[in-house]
Amino acid sequence: MGETVKYLLDETRIPKEWYNIVADLPQPPAPPLHPGTKQPVGPADLAPLFPPELILQEVTAERQVPIPEPVRALYRQWRPSPLIRARRLEAALDTPARIYFKYEGVSAPGSHKLNTAVAQAFYNKEAGIRRLTTETGAGQWGSSLAYAGTLFGLEVKVFMVRASFNQKPYRKAMMEVWGANCVSSPSNETEAGRRVLAEMPDTSGSLGIAISEAVEIAAQNADTNYALGSVLNHVLLHQTVIGLEAIEQFAMADDYPDIVIGCTGGGSNFAGLVFPFLGAQLRGGRTVQAIACEPAACPTLTRGRYAYDFGDTGHLTPLVKMHTLGSTFIPPGFHAGGLRYHGMAPLVSLVQELGLIESRAFHQTACFEAAVQFSRTEGIVPAPECSHAIRAVIDEALRCKRDGVAKTIAFNLSGHGHFDMQAYLDYFAGKLQDRDYDAAMLDAALAGLPVVAA
Amino acid sequence: MGETVKYLLDETRIPKEWYNIVADLPQPPAPPLHPGTKQPVGPADLAPLFPPELILQEVTAERQVPIPEPVRALYRQWRPSPLIRARRLEAALDTPARIYFKYEGVSAPGSHKLNTAVAQAFYNKEAGIRRLTTETGAGQWGSSLAYAGTLFGLEVKVFMVRASFNQKPYRKAMMEVWGANCVSSPSNETEAGRRVLAEMPDTSGSLGIAISEAVEIAAQNADTNYALGSVLNHVLLHQTVIGLEAIEQFAMADDYPDIVIGCTGGGSNFAGLVFPFLGAQLRGGRTVQAIACEPAACPTLTRGRYAYDFGDTGHLTPLVKMHTLGSTFIPPGFHAGGLRYHGMAPLVSLVQELGLIESRAFHQTACFEAAVQFSRTEGIVPAPECSHAIRAVIDEALRCKRDGVAKTIAFNLSGHGHFDMQAYLDYFAGKLQDRDYDAAMLDAALAGLPVVAA
């Protein structure tokens, strides 16, 4: 049976610049709008939440953005991450396809989220900020910001979606190991939280609510900023280290992907791997088939509308143009807490509108089946989020087998599942349900989208 | 602040041979004895449990034992593991010491145990064995053998100490992901288990009991062998890839350790790092100060007797000469399940008798304090077992600071703590107790050691 091969880069090969796909797109992204005036927001509107450098990165059209040396130095704790040829999985599938994965679970918090957490903490520290607030669903982002905060001596306060907070005490433990304060959302610490608790005391919470809480505190305190773990342009920008490294590693392997695959919640791990390949394509390089994989229970890219919407439930954020299920949409329960957001990164939404990527939705049982098959060949137990990508990878590899075509498939294994083992226990116990979203709720949520003049 | 530096070896530099310290010791190890005749056991006595190749490795005096190519090929999934210079920890301690750690948590099960699990599964498969049985305490070994079994198409049955089985359902989940069958020990599936359950239905179990159960099944079934995760010579042999790689990595760093440190439960992660350095010393190279770190609640090396004893509670195993607290000794509760064994590897015991290593015992609260300090600088959340090594590392680094001496300290970070976060929660909640062992129980256990003619 073929054995695993790792493609490792030397630390000196950590990228010196992030890649900004805006520079290569045929049209600029639609501007975020002020929720009151519905006019494009300016830097002053964002200044209560973000440091100047991140506001600049949010709007820049420069192709390359330098990575500050202190951030690169910290990247050395876990980067470059390995690109791994999954030859045992290939053999198990008996496929002519070549399967590679970029493994981001090597960071201390166990996912790609640390790539942007370290950068955001750095810029906030430079700007004299003392404290960061954020939300977290599955806990990967909250853990990452907690650790990044420790590295730069910043206090970190995390609002964790109540359902996850109760299901995953060990993610909270990890945040405490790194010195952060993690509370269940909705909480009594914010007006947004108290309002929800008054209306729905038994709510399981949502990312939209937790964002409202974190934003509220940041907006009210001059020494406090807000940090977001996905969706925004600057977050996707920071994640491009993944794809930039992968391009170098494919050169080492003397190969190049025909298909690139990632799961999509807010869109950052997908963009991190895929955008550098799309950029090469847009500049005249080889075409890649890019596939975004999402849960059928929260089908933002496959069923959402491309429209202006709020990023949060409390409607404190700017309006951004994206694929959205509506900010009041709440998905049914499933085990990939990182894929429960009602919206999608505006840049991922735009590249889908431009026909540069496609999207697919999967039910969770089929995803766990794929994750277990992966674990039994390549060892790593994937995060439930990543199981969506693996489902698509295996589907494509089996299609190659049927068609007798030897395509090269690359995917982002953005994190491990060590804090998600209850999901695997439920899978083995036959307790997983493949629930669909509530169609009436989706209709209502879409009908309630804010009206924005064309 | 100084930043982390990783020393990475290319996959071609995975050792081609394991290192056997027996070849360099001034005296041979004492032979294992048959529990009935109290005469040295021969290969025929071990054949019901182990494949021929492992029996040979158990007794060989050859300095180098070739690593089979299929095992090296599998090692490539996670080896060579990184040697990391912990410069952020050094800076936080304000010490002139240089601190390095070899990180074995990069394996899929998250610890060094996979180094020997893969080798043992390979030799058993070669010998035509269909199934392996084993015990596990903390779950690192059971997980590793589960994964190794999957790689070679072997069934794996794991008896997990009841206390751990109940506290750590996610380790069991991991074993199931890899297709193994994991049951709580004592179980009703063996005579040894039923006997204990009849006498002590509420027992929390022990490694000694779980070993008896696993050995019983292997001894009764021709297609089934037993696998042990520590203690035995061949297990320590397989772990020497750790130290062999580290020696190469120190050459890359243009440095060499003055002090090498590891935690000791059965002794294999300690020996894996330390024996290659001791071997170099014994062959005329530089002297290293080697420190074995154990829990004060189970102080095998610091308080045990160097004597022949059983490896298990049911007295099915051969008698081996080792530091032991007596096979009836049961330590009080503490959070490092991997360090609860009553005995110690005969080879680790021997090198202590020869004055080649020293040992220290620590209470758990001081260990968790050290682990949290490590996490907040180097990111990785250590397994509670490793926190004992980290305590000694920080103590030595602070001693260097007091003495104004710039020593080089190396330790084995043998696994991460992702499945041990309850222990961290308990630590932060102030719930940890620094319990000592029961002195009367120790006296009784030592008084009950088997009588062996000198």
Side-chain angles (χ1 to χ4, degrees):
Chain A
M1 184 181 277
E3 299 299 344
T4 303
V5 184
K6 302 192 299 289
Y7 297 95
L8 300 174
L9 295 173
D10 187 80
E11 293 178 10
T12 60
R13 312 271 291 277
I14 292 171
K16 295 191 167 62
E17 290 151 333
W18 292 299
Y19 165 68
N20 180 13
I21 197 171
V22 171
D24 291 315
L25 291 179
Q27 67 182 68
L33 305 181
H34 188 284
T37 66
K38 299 191 177 162
Q39 295 300 307
V41 296
D45 297 306
L46 298 173
L49 298 185
F50 301 109
E53 196 62 31
L54 290 179
I55 295 173
L56 284 175
Q57 290 182 1
E58 191 62 22
V59 297
T60 184
E62 291 293 317
R63 180 173 288 117
Q64 275 144 343
V65 176
I67 304 178
E69 198 43 51
V71 173
R72 284 189 80 233
L74 286 167
Y75 277 175
R76 297 213 307 259
Q77 279 197 343
W78 74 100
R79 306 208 69 83
S81 69
L83 179 77
I84 300 174
R85 171 89 182 267
R87 293 188 63 181
R88 291 185 60 88
L89 177 61
E90 294 169 16
L93 297 171
D94 189 25
T95 175
R98 292 181 297 278
I99 302 174
Y100 297 79
F101 63 96
K102 183 75 170 160
Y103 184 41
E104 291 291 313
V106 292
S107 78
S111 84
H112 67 293
K113 296 285 189 184
L114 193 57
N115 297 328
T116 184
V118 163
Q120 292 189 46
F122 168 78
Y123 290 119
N124 276 290
K125 183 73 177 182
E126 288 281 290
I129 288 297
R130 191 185 63 78
R131 181 173 64 155
L132 293 175
T133 61
T134 196
E135 73 291 330
T136 199
Q140 290 183 336
W141 167 243
S143 307
S144 295
L145 196 69
Y147 180 48
T150 285
L151 292 173
F152 287 102
L154 292 166
E155 277 184 34
V156 173
K157 184 170 190 77
V158 181
F159 291 91
M160 188 168 186
V161 174
R162 186 190 273 175
S164 288
F165 186 90
N166 292 334
Q167 277 167 16
K168 297 192 181 185
Y170 300 156
R171 273 288 174 194
K172 174 174 182 283
M174 205 170 198
M175 294 181 223
E176 288 185 351
V177 165
W178 289 321
N181 174 243
C182 172
V183 297
S184 177
S185 168
S187 79
N188 272 312
E189 301 188 25
T190 66
E191 199 179 316
R194 288 188 293 270
R195 198 182 317 130
V196 175
L197 285 174
E199 287 174 23
M200 302 183 285
D202 296 328
T203 178
S204 55
S206 74
L207 273 176
I209 297 167
I211 292 173
S212 294
E213 293 205 90
V215 166
E216 180 183 320
I217 287 189
Q220 289 173 350
N221 294 277
D223 66 351
T224 303
N225 267 351
Y226 168 68
L228 190 64
S230 190
V231 178
L232 297 180
N233 298 354
H234 69 266
V235 179
L236 274 57
L237 177 77
H238 301 157
Q239 293 296 353
T240 58
V241 289
I242 302 170
L244 292 168
E245 288 177 4
I247 286 174
E248 280 212 62
Q249 288 163 316
F250 269 105
M252 288 173 70
D254 198 20
D255 206 343
Y256 197 85
D258 300 297
I259 308 175
V260 286
I261 294 175
C263 64
T264 44
S268 78
N269 98 74
F270 173 80
L273 175 66
V274 171
F275 280 10
F277 287 99
L278 286 185
Q281 171 184 330
L282 288 162
R283 294 190 305 277
R286 280 179 56 174
T287 298
V288 291
Q289 180 186 7
I291 307 171
C293 304
E294 63 184 13
C298 192
T300 318
L301 282 170
T302 54
R303 299 295 177 100
R305 187 174 299 168
Y306 186 56
Y308 272 104
D309 195 9
F310 291 98
D312 69 330
T313 305
H315 295 181
L316 299 175
T317 69
L319 297 169
V320 292
K321 194 157 186 188
M322 61 181 176
H323 288 87
T324 179
L325 301 165
S327 65
T328 60
F329 177 85
I330 297 175
F334 61 94
H335 270 299
L339 306 184
R340 294 178 61 80
Y341 187 57
H342 70 273
M344 182 51 58
L347 284 174
V348 172
S349 297
L350 178 56
V351 296
Q352 175 165 293
E353 286 301 298
L354 292 170
L356 294 168
I357 68 167
E358 62 191 89
S359 49
R360 295 181 192 169
F362 299 94
H363 282 112
Q364 64 180 350
T365 305
C367 295
F368 276 96
E369 183 190 358
V372 169
Q373 186 164 22
F374 179 83
S375 299
R376 290 184 180 177
T377 50
E378 299 299 328
I380 300 160
V381 180
E385 290 78 9
C386 305
S387 73
H388 294 71
I390 297 171
R391 179 71 269 161
V393 168
I394 292 178
D395 289 350
E396 288 300 316
L398 293 175
R399 188 196 309 272
C400 285
K401 181 181 178 181
R402 280 197 303 277
D403 298 349
V405 183
K407 289 188 179 177
T408 296
I409 304 171
F411 76 99
N412 194 0
L413 185 56
S414 62
H416 60 62
H418 297 173
F419 294 86
D420 304 279
M421 298 310 293
Q422 187 60 48
Y424 284 91
L425 285 177
D426 290 349
Y427 169 70
F428 286 118
K431 287 186 191 165
L432 290 194
Q433 290 184 304
D434 285 338
R435 282 192 269 185
D436 277 308
Y437 59 88
D438 180 329
M441 179 199 279
L442 176 58
D443 288 346
L446 291 176
L449 285 175
V451 178
V452 175
Chain B
M1 182 181 280
E3 300 299 345
T4 303
V5 183
K6 303 193 298 289
Y7 297 94
L8 300 174
L9 293 174
D10 188 79
E11 293 178 8
T12 60
R13 312 272 288 279
I14 292 171
K16 295 193 167 62
E17 291 150 334
W18 292 299
Y19 165 68
N20 181 13
I21 197 170
V22 170
D24 291 315
L25 291 179
Q27 67 182 69
L33 304 181
H34 189 283
T37 65
K38 298 192 179 160
Q39 294 301 306
V41 296
D45 297 307
L46 298 173
L49 298 185
F50 301 109
E53 196 62 31
L54 290 179
I55 295 173
L56 284 175
Q57 291 182 1
E58 191 61 22
V59 298
T60 183
E62 291 293 318
R63 180 174 288 117
Q64 274 145 344
V65 176
I67 304 177
E69 199 43 51
V71 173
R72 284 189 78 233
L74 285 168
Y75 277 176
R76 298 215 305 260
Q77 279 197 344
W78 75 99
R79 304 208 71 82
S81 69
L83 179 76
I84 300 174
R85 171 91 183 265
R87 293 189 62 180
R88 291 185 61 89
L89 177 61
E90 293 170 18
L93 297 171
D94 189 25
T95 176
R98 292 181 297 277
I99 303 174
Y100 297 79
F101 63 96
K102 183 76 170 160
Y103 184 42
E104 291 291 312
V106 293
S107 78
S111 84
H112 67 293
K113 296 284 189 184
L114 193 58
N115 297 328
T116 184
V118 164
Q120 293 189 47
F122 168 78
Y123 290 119
N124 276 290
K125 183 73 177 180
E126 290 281 291
I129 288 298
R130 192 185 62 78
R131 182 172 64 154
L132 294 175
T133 61
T134 196
E135 72 292 330
T136 198
Q140 291 183 335
W141 168 242
S143 308
S144 295
L145 195 70
Y147 180 47
T150 285
L151 292 173
F152 287 102
L154 291 166
E155 274 185 35
V156 173
K157 184 169 190 78
V158 180
F159 292 91
M160 188 168 185
V161 175
R162 187 191 272 177
S164 288
F165 186 89
N166 292 335
Q167 277 167 17
K168 296 191 179 184
Y170 299 157
R171 273 285 174 197
K172 174 174 182 282
M174 206 171 198
M175 294 181 225
E176 288 185 350
V177 166
W178 289 320
N181 175 243
C182 172
V183 297
S184 178
S185 167
S187 78
N188 272 312
E189 301 187 26
T190 67
E191 199 180 315
R194 288 187 292 271
R195 196 182 319 129
V196 175
L197 284 175
E199 287 174 23
M200 302 182 286
D202 296 328
T203 178
S204 55
S206 74
L207 274 176
I209 296 167
I211 292 173
S212 295
E213 293 204 90
V215 166
E216 180 182 321
I217 287 189
Q220 289 172 353
N221 294 276
D223 66 351
T224 303
N225 266 352
Y226 168 67
L228 190 64
S230 191
V231 178
L232 297 181
N233 299 354
H234 68 265
V235 179
L236 274 56
L237 177 78
H238 300 156
Q239 293 296 354
T240 57
V241 289
I242 302 169
L244 293 168
E245 288 177 3
I247 286 174
E248 280 213 61
Q249 289 163 315
F250 269 105
M252 288 172 70
D254 198 20
D255 206 344
Y256 197 86
D258 300 297
I259 308 175
V260 286
I261 295 175
C263 64
T264 43
S268 78
N269 98 75
F270 174 80
L273 174 66
V274 170
F275 280 8
F277 287 100
L278 286 185
Q281 170 184 331
L282 288 162
R283 295 190 304 277
R286 282 180 53 175
T287 298
V288 291
Q289 180 186 8
I291 307 171
C293 304
E294 64 183 13
C298 192
T300 318
L301 281 170
T302 53
R303 299 294 177 99
R305 187 174 301 166
Y306 186 56
Y308 272 104
D309 195 9
F310 291 97
D312 69 329
T313 306
H315 295 182
L316 298 176
T317 69
L319 297 169
V320 292
K321 193 157 186 189
M322 60 181 178
H323 287 88
T324 179
L325 300 165
S327 66
T328 60
F329 176 84
I330 296 176
F334 61 94
H335 270 299
L339 306 185
R340 295 178 60 81
Y341 188 57
H342 69 273
M344 182 52 58
L347 283 175
V348 172
S349 298
L350 177 57
V351 296
Q352 175 165 293
E353 287 301 299
L354 292 170
L356 293 168
I357 68 166
E358 62 190 90
S359 48
R360 296 182 191 169
F362 299 94
H363 282 111
Q364 64 179 350
T365 304
C367 294
F368 276 98
E369 183 191 0
V372 169
Q373 185 165 23
F374 180 83
S375 298
R376 291 185 181 176
T377 50
E378 300 299 328
I380 299 159
V381 180
E385 290 78 10
C386 305
S387 72
H388 294 70
I390 297 171
R391 179 72 268 162
V393 168
I394 292 178
D395 289 351
E396 288 299 317
L398 293 175
R399 189 197 310 272
C400 285
K401 180 181 178 181
R402 280 197 303 277
D403 299 348
V405 183
K407 289 189 180 177
T408 296
I409 305 170
F411 76 99
N412 194 1
L413 185 57
S414 63
H416 61 62
H418 297 173
F419 294 86
D420 303 280
M421 297 310 295
Q422 187 61 48
Y424 284 91
L425 285 177
D426 291 350
Y427 168 70
F428 285 119
K431 288 186 192 164
L432 289 194
Q433 291 184 305
D434 285 339
R435 282 192 270 184
D436 277 308
Y437 58 90
D438 180 329
M441 178 198 281
L442 176 58
D443 287 346
L446 291 177
L449 285 176
V451 178
V452 175

